[in-house]
Amino acid sequence: LTEGFSLMSMDPELVRRLRALRPAWRVGALSAVSLGRLARVDADFVAVRAARASSAFVREAHRRGKQVYVWTVNEPLAIT
């Protein structure tokens, strides 16, 4: 696969398996609901609903070296 390829899943077990099978791939965890300490999941990035992306969550994820992608942001002021 080429550089820049990313894969994400809502299944935490699949995320773990992908990391083990293809450590060079960029793997992310997608969450529609709380899965516990998502910022601690062994993934390169996490994707969460806007309501889940508190400042504390983003800080913890960044501290752990993860990027955070936020989805369903309907209000322009909520982006900042």
Side-chain angles (χ1 to χ4, degrees), residues 22-56:
R22 299 286 189 251
W25 288 7
R26 192 166 177 268
V27 177
L30 171 64
S31 175
V33 297
S34 178
L35 294 175
R37 303 297 297 204
L38 187 62
R40 294 183 182 183
V41 172
D42 184 19
D44 300 304
F45 63 93
V46 292
V48 296
R49 285 188 353 226
R52 177 85 163 92
S54 68
S55 296

Side-chain angles (χ1 to χ4, degrees):
L1 296 172
T2 63
E3 192 174 314
F5 179 81
S6 297
L7 191 106
M8 90 177 136
S9 175
M10 292 182 86
D11 181 347
E13 179 58 28
L14 180 57
V15 171
R16 283 189 287 278
R17 289 177 52 208
L18 287 168
R19 294 286 284 174
L21 291 170
R22 299 286 189 251
W25 288 7
R26 192 166 177 268
V27 177
L30 171 64
S31 175
V33 297
S34 178
L35 294 175
R37 303 297 297 204
L38 187 62
R40 294 183 182 183
V41 172
D42 184 19
D44 300 304
F45 63 93
V46 292
V48 296
R49 285 188 353 226
R52 177 85 163 92
S54 68
S55 296
F57 174 83
V58 173
R59 274 194 308 274
E60 181 180 353
H62 285 175
R63 187 172 55 79
R64 294 177 180 279
K66 294 173 184 22
Q67 292 180 318
V68 177
Y69 296 99
V70 179
W71 46 276
T72 312
V73 178
N74 294 323
E75 297 297 325
L77 290 177
I79 295 172
T80 58

